[in-house]
């Protein structure tokens, strides 16, 4: 785990990442499939929340999933085993010191990783080094600046901004989704295509109200209560009101919107 990493491994975060992944499978992954026999590196697999979907959608691909956190790799192994998946190899490794020869993978996939890194272009360049010419990279990131909701609330917006600020102080970037095109360009990838994926939630979609608004987004902001208060970004009363207002958007007349960005590019 790098010092620039905000979310850190813990059981509650593990659960949140699993909830997030299962809610967003269709939206984020419907167009990610790799051919039979192709080799895929999943970088920053965490607790394996996306790994299971990747492997299920591409049963003939040989997937190598790595994470810098040994504890996360242990959890990912459990998730993969529980899903009965046998085309995934898991190992602890750092994106910045990859233990693979150059051009050893057909494709690279990473999801919700760049936002935590102080050197995203260097990470993309390191990953490019292990992709074969003509191979692809797929990157998925969120962008907290794309968050808006009804009823609107200054408290809720400020609580969300605490996450942006804390991540920036840890030298990450919670607004990175909008920057995928320039980052991939800087890292030297070609044929870059970015596809925004908007999550729109109202009470006609109870599974998204539960799985996204409450268990993914509001839970994430609730999870940074302690560091937000400790760093004086908001008062306790204001922060708690912000959290209450975020959950308020999950009620019958509430609406919640968020946009993820999915980029695919080619190593020429
Ligand atoms: C928010 S989690 C996302 C995990 C998973 N991709 C998902 O979508 O559920 C980010 C992951 O990136 C990993 N990570 C951070 N820096 C890394 C590095 N330098 N090399 C490999 N993994 C890294 C963290 O340990 C963490 O598990």
């Amino acid at each position: 785990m790098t010092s620039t990493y905000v979310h850190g491994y813990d059981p509650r975060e593990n659960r949140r990442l699993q909830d997030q992944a299962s809610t967003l499978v269709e939206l984020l992954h419907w167009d990610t499939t790799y051919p039979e026999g192709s080799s895929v590196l999943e970088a920053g697999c965490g607790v394996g929340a996306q790994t299971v979907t990747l492997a299920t959608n591409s049963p003939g691909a040989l997937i190598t999933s790595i994470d810098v956190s040994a504890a996360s790799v242990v959890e990912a192994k459990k998730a993969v085993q529980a899903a009965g998946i046998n085309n995934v190899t898991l190992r602890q490794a750092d994106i910045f010191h990859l233990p693979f020869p150059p051009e050893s993978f057909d494709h690279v996939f990473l999801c919700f990783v760049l936002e935590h890194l102080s050197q995203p272009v260097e990470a993309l360049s390191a990953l490019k080094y292990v992709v074969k010419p003509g191979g692809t990279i797929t990157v998925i990131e969120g962008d907290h600046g794309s968050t808006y909701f009804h009823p609107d609330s200054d408290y809720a917006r400020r609580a969300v901004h605490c996450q942006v600020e804390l991540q920036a102080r840890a030298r990450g970037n919670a607004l990175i989704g909008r920057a995928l095109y320039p980052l991939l360009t800087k890292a030297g990838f070609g044929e870059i295509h970015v596809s925004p994926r908007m999550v729109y939630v109202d009470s006609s979609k109870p599974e998204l109200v539960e799985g996204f608004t409450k268990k993914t987004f509001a839970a994430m902001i609730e999870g940074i209560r302690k560091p937000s208060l400790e760093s004086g970004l908001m008062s306790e009363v204001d922060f708690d009101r912000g959290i209450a207002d975020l959950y308020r958007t999950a009620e019958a007349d509430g609406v919640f919107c968020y946009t993820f960005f999915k980029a695919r590019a080619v190593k020429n």
Side-chain angles (χ1 to χ4, degrees):
M1 197 166 298
T2 61
S3 56
T4 56
Y5 184 54
V6 172
H7 289 307
Y9 172 79
D10 69 53
R12 184 184 158 148
E13 177 64 2
N14 179 351
R15 185 66 256 154
R16 198 191 68 79
L17 287 170
Q18 300 287 4
D19 282 337
Q20 169 174 267
S22 54
T23 303
L24 300 175
V25 164
E26 249 323 279
L27 183 78
L28 298 182
H29 294 288
W30 68 268
D31 53 351
T32 305
T33 53
Y34 297 107
E36 180 95 24
S38 59
S39 56
V40 180
L41 173 65
E42 185 198 6
C45 63
V47 294
Q50 319 291 340
T51 314
V52 170
T53 303
L54 269 187
T56 308
N57 287 353
S58 301
L62 306 166
I63 298 168
T64 302
S65 298
I66 62 155
D67 200 281
V68 74
S69 155
S72 292
V73 171
V74 168
E75 292 301 316
K77 278 185 182 161
K78 286 186 205 160
V80 163
Q81 269 167 12
I85 284 162
N86 53 20
N87 59 333
V88 174
T89 305
L90 279 145
R91 64 186 282 186
Q92 183 188 9
D94 186 338
I95 290 169
F96 295 101
H97 302 98
L98 289 169
F100 308 111
E103 301 181 1
S104 44
F105 293 95
D106 295 306
H107 306 283
V108 170
F109 175 92
L110 67 165
C111 184
F112 309 143
V113 177
L114 291 185
E115 61 170 310
H116 300 294
L117 305 180
S118 59
Q119 298 179 302
V121 174
E122 287 75 2
L124 291 171
S125 301
L127 291 167
K128 185 166 147 247
Y129 189 66
V130 299
V131 182
K132 293 176 191 169
T136 68
I137 185 165
T138 298
V139 187
I140 301 175
E141 292 291 343
D143 188 320
H144 292 356
S146 72
T147 313
Y148 50 93
F149 33 76
H150 175 82
D152 197 8
S153 155
D154 186 43
Y155 297 98
R157 278 190 268 116
R158 284 173 56 209
V160 174
H161 190 72
C162 287
Q163 170 75 32
V164 175
E165 182 57 29
L166 288 173
Q167 211 155 322
R169 289 183 187 185
R171 304 185 62 216
N173 181 4
L175 309 175
I176 203 165
R178 68 189 73 177
L180 289 185
Y181 189 92
L183 291 172
L184 285 159
T185 304
K186 271 193 195 152
F189 283 95
E191 299 173 46
I192 306 165
H193 176 75
V194 178
S195 156
R197 310 271 162 115
M198 185 187 184
V199 186
Y200 167 81
V201 189
D202 63 32
S203 57
S204 70
K205 301 167 182 177
E207 68 294 341
L208 281 178
V209 170
E210 206 51 38
F212 190 75
T213 307
K214 288 162 94 172
K215 288 189 177 160
T216 296
F217 197 88
M220 173 179 71
I221 303 302
E222 209 173 6
I224 55 148
R225 183 177 190 275
K226 195 162 176 263
S228 301
L229 302 186
E230 279 171 2
S231 52
L233 286 170
M234 278 178 88
S235 72
E236 189 170 355
V237 173
D238 287 359
F239 188 87
D240 289 345
R241 166 115 189 242
I243 297 301
D245 287 353
L246 277 180
Y247 281 104
R248 167 73 183 83
T249 70
E251 287 179 22
D253 62 348
V255 172
F256 191 89
C257 302
Y258 187 89
T259 304
F260 293 93
F261 294 82
K262 179 170 184 176
R264 188 177 177 279
V266 175
K267 173 175 171 176
N268 292 316

